[in-house]
Amino acid sequence: MRRDSDLPVFAQGAGRLKLALQASLSPSSLRCKHPGALLDTLQHWNDGYLNKTAPLLGYHRSLAELGYASSSVDIASAEQLTAVAQVSGLFSEEGVVQLRRACYQLEAGSTTSDWIISNRTRAATESSTLLREMMGSRAFLLAVSRIAGVPLVPHPFLRACSQVNYFYPPQAPEAKAQVGMWHTDGTSFVLNILLSAPGEYEGGEFVFFEGPNELFDVNDLGERLCTSVAKACGDAVYIYGSRVFHGVRPLMSGRRMSLVLSFHCPYSAADVNKFWHLASDDGVLRTIRPWFQLKRDLALPADEQYRRLGIEPITFADLAVRL
Ligand SMILES: O=C(O)CCC(=O)C(=O)O
Ligand SMILES: [Fe+2]
């Protein structure tokens, strides 16, 4: 019988500080290296990999419906911003096939750690032509922006922007199960794309807390514990990651693969990423320079951010087509 507290909660406060210091001491050669072009399928992105019709949103809650009175970005209200949405049919069949291929190939560059997600390949856009071009595609960004409720660009913090997660059951009797601990993300606009089919694994449910962060108590989740119904390969769960506690249950068998993409709203310099969140992953020293670069990138005008991507700006008017 599973209990609500089966999943551990990721370290908060002083515990996270400790992780940051530990991460600072681990030699960088053992940590995630740039995996290199061998991991690249060299497949180009094609907007035909998106479905022609708008994706279907199943379960949908705004930040206001989740219990937040205000939004953390000045340009949108808590009513406008999506907190959680189940998304199906975003990609065409061929799109799912290509995404799966690209993410399988990136597994050779994955590393295992005791961080929130045990086994993953970070900065996936750096190693995959397909993912890099997809994140730069206006059609893709527009589709995600409509789900989110605000115009988006890829998150400028490269290592936080794209990640492929690989979950397996424990490989030996004593081994720890790979899980996604209960956590909130360092970024706010997050698309979690499931790239395994239902028959390929057991367990591994994406769970989330249907309430504001301040009510989250792992020992008393009650009615607010929700399990995502995203099941088919290519389905996704969009979340306002910094304000929705979520996690992935341990696997009983098989393999579960997911692609997690983070975005930023370029019309607001507000960003919830915390130095200590990033440093708990990478170590303090390795976080300092990218941190200051992030602050500079966030301060750029929206038009400039879109110009750098080489696409026409996505405006609030473009979002008017409601899904
Ligand atoms: O694998 C998933 O579906 C979600 C993982 C997650 O929450 C994360 O990478 O932050
Ligand atoms: Fe997450």
Side-chain angles (χ1 to χ4, degrees):
M1 178 72 185
R2 287 168 169 186
R3 284 172 299 112
D4 293 348
S5 51
D6 270 0
L7 273 186
V9 182
F10 182 58
Q12 292 170 322
R16 195 167 298 185
L17 203 84
K18 195 170 137 210
L19 274 181
L21 297 175
Q22 277 167 356
S24 312
L25 297 175
S26 75
S28 56
S29 59
L30 293 180
R31 299 178 62 79
C32 194
K33 286 190 278 189
H34 187 304
L38 281 177
L39 303 181
D40 200 344
T41 52
L42 298 174
Q43 175 72 34
H44 288 285
W45 169 257
N46 172 338
D47 284 343
Y49 293 162
L50 291 171
N51 254 336
K52 291 202 175 35
T53 49
L56 287 177
L57 296 194
Y59 173 98
H60 180 281
R61 296 281 181 279
S62 67
L63 277 182
E65 286 168 321
L66 218 70
Y68 286 102
S70 65
S71 116
S72 60
V73 276
D74 38 7
I75 34 71
S77 67
E79 283 76 20
Q80 261 172 290
L81 289 166
T82 299
V84 187
Q86 311 258 7
V87 183
S88 56
L90 177 56
F91 301 102
S92 66
E93 240 171 78
E94 181 58 16
V96 175
V97 169
Q98 294 301 344
L99 279 173
R100 247 166 92 95
R101 255 187 83 209
C103 292
Y104 269 140
Q105 202 140 326
L106 289 169
E107 185 169 5
S110 68
T111 51
T112 303
S113 74
D114 279 339
W115 209 64
I116 300 173
I117 309 287
S118 353
N119 190 20
R120 62 211 169 113
T121 297
R122 301 171 69 208
T125 49
E126 289 293 274
S127 312
S128 164
T129 302
L130 182 83
L131 298 182
R132 186 168 52 253
E133 292 181 358
M134 176 175 88
M135 284 296 262
S137 149
R138 189 175 189 278
F140 176 69
L141 289 170
L142 182 57
V144 185
S145 302
R146 285 182 172 150
I147 296 166
V150 283
L152 296 173
V153 294
H155 196 281
F157 196 85
L158 216 62
R159 279 174 292 186
C161 173
S162 62
Q163 162 175 319
V164 188
N165 298 329
Y166 307 92
F167 297 89
Y168 292 93
Q171 306 289 298
E174 297 302 301
K176 274 201 245 169
Q178 287 165 347
V179 294
M181 295 182 202
W182 276 113
H183 68 285
T184 52
D185 295 323
T187 50
S188 287
F189 309 101
V190 185
L191 187 67
N192 301 272
I193 306 166
L194 180 63
L195 287 174
S196 297
E200 292 176 326
Y201 64 98
E202 285 176 283
E205 300 90 351
F206 184 103
V207 288
F208 61 93
F209 180 68
E210 196 186 39
N213 288 351
E214 57 276 17
L215 294 186
F216 179 82
D217 173 357
V218 74
N219 296 312
D220 183 19
L221 297 172
E223 301 275 284
R224 292 179 187 260
L225 172 67
C226 293
T227 304
S228 154
V229 297
K231 272 274 178 275
C233 189
D235 278 2
V237 188
Y238 169 86
I239 50 169
Y240 197 97
S242 59
R243 288 185 164 198
V244 180
F245 263 94
H246 59 282
V248 178
R249 286 196 183 282
L251 249 68
M252 262 87 79
S253 67
R255 165 176 55 187
R256 177 189 185 277
M257 181 168 77
S258 58
L259 170 63
V260 179
L261 302 172
S262 289
F263 304 84
H264 166 67
C265 174
Y267 294 96
S268 163
D271 184 55
V272 293
N273 250 304
K274 299 268 187 312
F275 181 85
W276 291 108
H277 179 87
L278 298 170
S280 70
D281 200 359
D282 284 318
V284 176
L285 285 180
R286 281 181 289 270
T287 304
I288 293 174
R289 244 155 61 101
W291 175 258
F292 284 106
Q293 182 62 45
L294 173 65
K295 294 289 146 194
R296 282 194 292 275
D297 288 343
L298 293 173
L300 292 172
D303 281 3
E304 175 61 13
Q305 296 192 43
Y306 282 113
R307 196 192 62 74
R308 288 184 175 198
L309 288 172
I311 61 175
E312 280 283 300
I314 296 174
T315 64
F316 280 88
D318 290 324
L319 308 188
V321 187
R322 291 305 303 178
L323 296 168

